[in-house]
Amino acid sequence: MGTLGILISLALLMYLAYRGINVLILAPLLALLALLFSGEVAMLLPTYTQVFMKAMGGYVIQFFPLFLLGALFGKLMDDSGSARAIAHGIVAKLGSERAILAIVLACGILTYGGVSLFVVAFAVYPIGAALFREADIPKRLIPGAIALGSFTFTMTALPGTPAIQNAIPNPFFGTDAFAAPGLGIIAGLIMFGLGSWWLTSQARKLKAAGEGYGDHREDPVEQDYSHTPGFWLALLPILIVIGLNYVMAKQILPGIDASYLAKPEFGGLADAKSLIGIWSIIVALASAIVLLIVMHWRRWMDLKKTVNDGAFGSMLPILNTAAEVGYGTVIASLAGFVVIRDLVLGVSDNPLISEAVAVNILAGITGSASGGMSIALKTLGEQYMTLATTAGISPELLHRVAAMASGCMDTLPHNGAVISLLAICKLTHRESYKFIFVNTVAFPMMALAVVIALGTLFGSF
């Protein structure tokens, strides 16, 4: 009954999340529902306060700085006009004849530099609409192009990306954002190459069938870019994030004396290895934020409002993800979970395949890359690390596979980012989801398979 309760709880989580009920409500209720099936009625309140809330709070303690700084950086890039300037600059250089490639690259550069995918969608959509209209490319391809540039290679594959999905494995495996860089670049090229080629071929096919941009009177009015910063000035904070993240992770922080971490007030850690990846991103984002504020000092209409909106914008995403982590921790504490754990671990003797399956399934169920990966690593990360050590597999390879697996099945139809993107573009699942699915589920899955195969054969590189 315990295992059946877990499966019912997971099914309800996926269905009710798709129906729009917030995970902050769903996660504790459905975790406790699974507990009821296990027959431990007397444990309801202790489990909620001592297991669920403790795990939720622990996640917030660990990752809140990244959510806060990431949201603040994205809001500053948006309100300063930098995000629009970068997108418009790329479009101007490539022209309407390469409209799809221009949108993918614009989104890719912005998200690789740490700009929130929601900010990117809002900034790029008006440009994409104008560009696709000029080239007479069907509008329903726009969400696929934005999703390819924002939800795939720059989120999980490319080394150094400050995306939270690339930071979550750090404390579990003692890695940093540049884990397995060669494999990450190969995977990124596969996603980018296949996605761009497929969208372009779909555009040709639809146009040959007589479908053009269409009549969309609700499209945004084309914006005036005369008051935005220049392209290279707008790009500078992004270069700072990437460059400083690398220098801190590879050159500066590994050489510091971190013996003080052994003290109880610092967690009693043996070294700083599990923290360096997070510290590096914090320094990089904080430095870029200061640079943005100073660089655009005269552009701010209301800097206090921008900062406050950015800070408030970090709250719901981290609380949603933390609630999912609390849910996963409760599920992992139940006796019925042993059956599921052994089933997942027994999928393959190769821990990379087992890890990829576990993260994919949980990301698909929760509709969240960060939530699914956090649950998987919280419940099974230690076992994967032990199995990998026994098999001689690098922790960096575990990191890259976990990050990439989180970005495959997360974008099923109930995913919040997918729903938001379609709302921004004023399109429906029926019109555009196919183009999102192929680019964010099918091609990333292919890239993940290639990375697992190469990693198994040649190790991490």
Side-chain angles (χ1 to χ4, degrees):
M1 285 294 290
T3 303
L4 176 63
I6 291 173
L7 296 176
I8 292 173
S9 172
L10 289 170
L12 285 172
L13 179 64
M14 182 166 62
Y15 173 74
L16 294 174
Y18 178 66
R19 300 295 296 177
I21 300 177
N22 192 281
V23 74
L24 290 173
I25 303 296
L26 290 177
L29 291 179
L30 293 178
L32 296 179
L33 174 65
L35 187 67
L36 285 176
F37 271 87
S38 70
E40 300 180 29
V41 179
M43 300 294 289
L44 285 177
L45 289 176
T47 297
Y48 177 64
T49 60
Q50 305 306 115
V51 180
F52 181 90
M53 288 306 301
K54 184 178 179 180
M56 183 175 175
Y59 185 87
V60 172
I61 290 170
Q62 192 166 42
F63 291 110
F64 179 67
L66 302 189
F67 278 85
L68 174 64
L69 293 172
L72 184 53
F73 177 71
K75 186 60 177 172
L76 289 166
M77 286 289 290
D78 188 19
D79 285 3
S80 68
S82 298
R84 293 186 299 277
I86 292 170
H88 188 260
I90 292 170
V91 165
K93 287 176 173 59
L94 292 178
S96 61
E97 68 275 9
R98 296 185 181 88
I100 291 174
L101 180 61
I103 295 304
V104 173
L105 284 176
C107 293
I109 289 173
L110 288 168
T111 49
Y112 187 49
V115 181
S116 160
L117 59 90
F118 294 105
V119 171
V120 171
F122 276 112
V124 172
Y125 166 59
I127 302 170
L131 197 62
F132 276 49
R133 188 188 308 109
E134 181 183 345
D136 200 30
I137 298 172
K139 181 185 176 180
R140 59 198 184 104
L141 291 173
I142 294 178
I146 293 176
L148 174 60
S150 304
F151 302 178
T152 61
F153 57 95
T154 58
M155 186 176 85
T156 64
L158 293 186
T161 175
I164 189 66
Q165 292 80 6
N166 194 37
I168 288 172
N170 293 343
F172 293 98
F173 303 134
T175 50
D176 58 52
F178 294 87
L183 290 170
I185 290 172
I186 290 171
L189 289 174
I190 290 171
M191 293 184 219
F192 172 74
L194 287 176
S196 299
W197 163 78
W198 188 74
L199 282 175
T200 302
S201 66
Q202 287 296 299
R204 291 198 192 100
K205 180 180 176 180
L206 292 173
K207 290 179 75 173
E211 182 177 348
Y213 181 81
D215 182 18
H216 299 278
R217 298 180 183 180
E218 75 282 6
D219 279 354
V221 177
E222 196 166 356
Q223 301 176 34
D224 177 14
Y225 297 96
S226 59
H227 299 294
T228 56
F231 176 79
W232 291 107
L233 185 65
L235 192 63
L236 182 59
I238 285 179
L239 298 177
I240 292 294
V241 170
I242 298 168
L244 195 53
N245 186 8
Y246 180 84
V247 171
M248 295 301 296
K250 299 297 186 182
Q251 306 295 327
I252 297 178
L253 291 180
I256 65 171
D257 177 13
S259 57
Y260 57 86
L261 291 174
K263 296 179 180 179
E265 59 265 34
F266 292 108
L269 299 177
D271 54 46
K273 192 174 182 182
S274 64
L275 300 173
I276 285 176
I278 292 176
W279 285 353
S280 301
I281 298 174
I282 289 174
V283 172
L285 284 172
S287 301
I289 285 169
V290 173
L291 176 65
L292 264 170
I293 291 173
V294 173
M295 194 166 62
H296 299 292
W297 188 254
R298 296 188 178 183
R299 291 183 184 275
W300 304 115
M301 299 294 291
D302 188 343
L303 180 58
K304 182 176 72 174
K305 184 177 185 305
T306 294
V307 171
N308 286 342
D309 287 348
F312 293 145
S314 69
M315 300 298 183
L316 189 57
I318 190 170
L319 290 177
N320 282 341
T321 306
E324 289 167 347
V325 172
Y327 171 85
T329 304
V330 172
I331 296 299
S333 71
L334 302 178
F337 181 73
V338 174
V339 176
I340 297 173
R341 183 198 64 193
D342 292 344
L343 184 64
V344 171
L345 291 174
V347 164
S348 171
D349 292 333
N350 186 337
L352 297 177
I353 295 176
S354 175
E355 180 187 47
V357 170
V359 174
N360 254 303
I361 291 173
L362 288 167
I365 290 170
T366 60
S368 166
S370 55
M373 176 166 48
S374 295
I375 293 172
L377 297 186
K378 180 81 174 176
T379 55
L380 297 170
E382 190 174 337
Q383 288 96 320
Y384 287 133
M385 191 65 176
T386 301
L387 291 171
T389 301
T390 303
I393 294 173
S394 165
E396 290 202 348
L397 189 51
L398 280 177
H399 174 128
R400 189 54 55 208
V401 168
M404 287 184 59
S406 76
C408 296
M409 289 182 64
D410 65 311
T411 46
L412 293 179
H414 62 292
N415 173 266
V418 169
I419 293 170
S420 296
L421 175 59
L422 290 171
I424 290 168
C425 296
K426 297 179 176 62
L427 293 164
T428 65
H429 279 77
R430 182 185 295 275
E431 290 171 313
S432 292
Y433 181 69
K434 177 180 79 169
F435 307 110
I436 296 174
F437 177 86
V438 172
N439 279 308
T440 63
V441 178
F443 291 151
M445 200 80 80
M446 292 180 192
L448 176 61
V450 170
V451 165
I452 292 174
L454 291 176
T456 301
L457 291 173
F458 304 109
S460 178
F461 60 87

